[in-house]
Amino acid sequence: MTSHPVADITSPSTWSFIEDKFSPYAKELLTKLVDFVQNEVVPAEKVFHAQIPDDARRWQTTPPVVLDLNKKAKALGLWNLFLSKAHYPDVGVPLTNLEYAVMAEVMGRTGHLASLATNCAAPDTGNMEVLARYGTEAQKKEWLVPLMNAEIRSAFSMTEKGVASSDATNIQTSIRKEGNEIVINGHKWWISGAGDPRCKLHLVMGKSDPNNPSKYAQQSIVIVPANTPGVRVIRPMKVMGYDDAPEGHCEVIYENVRVPERNLIAGWGRGFEVIQGRLGPGRIHHCMRSIGLAQRALDIMLERVTDPTRKTFGKHLYQHGTVVANIAKSRAEIEGARLLVLSAAHQIDRVKAKGALKEIGIAKVGIASITKFEFVVPSMALQVVDRAMQAFGAEGISQDTPLAYWWAGLRTLRYADGPDEVHIQQIGERELKRAPGLRAASEKAKKKEGSLLEKYGVKAKL
């Protein structure tokens, strides 16, 4: 095994475990990405936030540093890395999901910025996958190509106000056919990307056949150009005070919105099929980036506690047992989560997303058979960031470090793509299906046990 710069910012042991699964092309690209993130994106973080105005202009602004980073990333071939050629042969990059998993962790170290720089940012990633997989040639030409070139941005519109949207069958937005048009009426919120001045399309999910006996065939997804009459962005929602401008997470009303029927994605009643194909990889991407952010938070914590100017009660911070214990806990939890997500990514490569549902769900809620820790990837990252904040004292919850902002963003991932409770329920139900097989194996062993006791003329003591 050879050394690689990614080992320095992730895990040497994990890299040695997966290196032989990386192609020469992926290794070279990963080297470029590590250098780009460390030497171009990290130094640009404060510039990015400084270029977003504090007034209403924040919703009409694209930070110039992002455009500069886009040019550099594209020139280096660090572009649309999430689209695997194995799944999207006409537009994809020759990377496996496992290879991209490591790259997503590297990008996640900067929160959202490295993903923006490389055109690998949600919700565009999921929307591009939908268009690449289900879009017509006309839809690809009109929407996928400019998205892949970062000429425009997009939003995915599913969650609804006043509706228990964690069960997507509850969605009430109406999508109905009228002549050669589709008419949309609904009230959505937490629609990420809808505030961006470059957002040109919304993928809207709603009910097109509410009386269908199958509750999973009642929904459809439609392309709605953002400037269509009747589309109203009401306000940006705030996550613990942060509005994530200019993209935002917006409340949006669709009132008698009319689009041509050709804007339908995949076909009538296929909305659930489409979102399952979209959400599987999306959950993996979120988990991978969260691990990168957790690793960065731990790195920042290590710098803080070894700062020779910081002493409490006559000791350096790293000389306090609780600080050392928190470092050890964070390291162990990051390592376990990383292996879990890499396993899920590898499983997607082997059997595609549908066969990896168990591993994807585990990655989201953290019930991992490969470790003895029980933690979710988002919850793990929240804990790691929280420990880093604690090491900084009051400064850790202020605007003078990125930690509080990161924590707020990570907290949303316990809802994003479905709340933890839904995934826990699904995994528990899947595990229960193993019970009959386990019982049969135990009964077989018990019969064998009985014959052995009789053979040796002894009685069981346990």
Side-chain angles (χ1 to χ4, degrees), residues 283 286-288 290-291 294 330 332-338 340-341 359-368 371-384 387 410-411 413-416 418-424 427:
R283 290 169 184 156
H286 284 320
C287 288
M288 293 185 283
S290 299
I291 291 168
S330 293
E333 291 169 4
I334 291 170
E335 292 286 354
R338 178 183 287 118
L340 179 60
V341 180
E359 286 76 11
I360 292 170
I362 289 173
K364 182 70 165 59
V365 302
I367 305 174
T371 73
K372 292 186 179 180
F373 302 102
E374 294 187 356
F375 46 67
V376 223
V377 170
S379 292
M380 173 279 296
L382 284 166
Q383 274 278 34
V384 172
R387 293 180 190 125
L410 286 166
R411 184 61 183 82
L413 296 186
R414 294 191 59 204
Y415 304 111
D420 289 351
E421 291 82 357
V422 171
H423 297 285
I424 289 170
I427 290 170

